[in-house]
Amino acid sequence: MKCYEGAAMTRSLFDPVSFACGVTAPNAFALAPLTNGQSHDDGTLHDDELRWLARRAAGGFGLVSTCAAHVSEDGKGFDGQLGVWSDRHVEGLTTLAQALRASGAVPVVQLYHGGARSPSRLTGAQPWSASSFTEDRPDFEVPRPATEDDLQRVIAHFGDATARTRAAGFAGVELHGAHGYLLSQFLSTTMNTRGDGWGGSIEGRARLLREVTRAARARGGDGFLVGVRLSPEDFGFVRGVDLDETVQVARWLADDGVDFIHLSLWDVNRRTRKRPDVHPIALFREALPAHVRVVVAGKVWTRADAERCLELGADMVALGRAGIVNPDLPRACEDAAWTPRRPPLTPEEYAARDVSPRFLAYLRRFDGMVAG
């Protein structure tokens, strides 16, 4: 299905969404991968993270993603982050996959390496990235440039992590190429100033992401979902990323066998700076073959918001804050008159939604999320 700006929506949010690999989600609602700090310090699954995700699967989300799970010990970026870099993580991942599948959701692990955003206090080592660069942040540690051994190792780690997720019973993986983490850092003209085959032109800067994608595709095998999350242009921690280059990267990833591209738009109602005449959803839908699904995220709160995304060409909508506050949102949206709850919520209200004290502490960093 291709459905562009100004076209009529041809399917419902409640229709199944099939992917080229053969996986089918029961509807077009996805839970976005969300940092929550609820796992054990060694990356093994904690019951708090299990309850948080299982509640959203039970609430009707057709595809449920974990938080960004680090594929290497030196790629950890957050306290309490889920890990997938060791076989000892497989037992917990298996429990999680079974719980999500029990509610009919398609379970996906988001795979990630923080690169320059993996602080030494968590990893015990200097961060590394495409190149050495600085940022005007008090806690920023200047990364060292990646060696060839670093690059070959991290490609293998993404592949190994993919194999672990499949062994654990997950339906697929999403590779985190957005938000200024390692794969996004390599795409950046300001963070990647390398003069070898891993930098320079967009072909060189996209090489790591493409090789990681091919490794995931190979290790996942037939019937396994592989997607990539992208930031279309600069926003937040993303710097040096060009919209037209990102469109080209998405085309290459389609050639490399991805099942979906997940666009992190921050606000689906906002146009891009470079192409204000066309909505980014329509731009990427036009650029990609029909079998590559487009997933979009960014301040989708209501059924009308989600339906507008489908009208523009999206196949699925990924909900972040709306899914935190409304764990049963997909089921509730079947009533067209239903209005979702919006923050702030009290700590007691979050607890009733299976948000643990550790996740609540993280949410307090964001204005207006927690009452009081």
Side-chain angles (χ1 to χ4, degrees), residues 70-76 84-85 112-113 153-154 157-158:
H70 52 303
V71 302
S72 308
E73 287 186 84
D74 65 4
K76 185 176 182 178
V84 66
W85 49 265
Y112 140 109
H113 189 293
R153 184 174 64 253
V154 81
H157 285 177
F158 272 99

Side-chain angles (χ1 to χ4, degrees), residues 34-47 49-50 52-53 65-72 75-86 88-94 96-97 100 108-113 165 170 358:
L34 293 163
T35 300
N36 59 74
Q38 295 181 118
S39 281
H40 292 289
D41 287 341
D42 66 354
T44 54
L45 181 73
H46 192 285
D47 286 346
E49 187 143 22
L50 173 63
W52 141 254
L53 290 170
S65 294
T66 69
C67 66
H70 52 303
V71 302
S72 308
K76 185 176 182 178
F78 303 97
D79 293 293
Q81 189 171 27
L82 189 66
V84 66
W85 49 265
S86 169
R88 71 171 178 264
H89 297 128
V90 174
E91 181 180 359
L93 291 169
T94 301
L96 178 56
L100 300 181
V108 169
V109 177
Q110 187 185 61
L111 300 181
Y112 140 109
H113 189 293
T165 61
F170 279 84
R358 286 191 295 171

Side-chain angles (χ1 to χ4, degrees), residues 206-220:
R207 180 180 170 188
L208 180 60
L209 175 56
R210 297 191 70 188
E211 294 209 16
V212 164
T213 300
R214 293 175 189 138
R217 181 78 279 164
R219 298 296 298 277

Side-chain angles (χ1 to χ4, degrees), residues 232-303:
E233 61 182 3
D234 288 6
F235 187 89
F237 285 103
V238 180
R239 296 186 291 111
V241 171
D242 176 77
L243 176 64
D244 292 326
E245 287 188 344
T246 307
V247 171
Q248 179 58 59
V249 169
R251 291 193 187 100
W252 285 333
L253 293 171
D255 294 339
D256 295 330
V258 298
D259 296 289
F260 67 89
I261 295 293
H262 183 175
L263 300 176
S264 186
L265 301 180
W266 295 103
D267 186 346
V268 295
N269 296 306
R270 189 180 64 192
R271 302 298 179 103
T272 63
R273 290 188 297 275
K274 187 172 186 179
R275 297 283 194 88
D277 58 318
V278 59
H279 196 283
I281 297 175
L283 180 66
F284 280 85
R285 180 67 277 169
E286 181 67 41
L288 291 167
H291 70 273
V292 176
R293 300 304 185 193
V294 174
V295 183
V296 298
K299 294 185 179 179
V300 176
W301 279 94
T302 66
R303 176 171 168 170

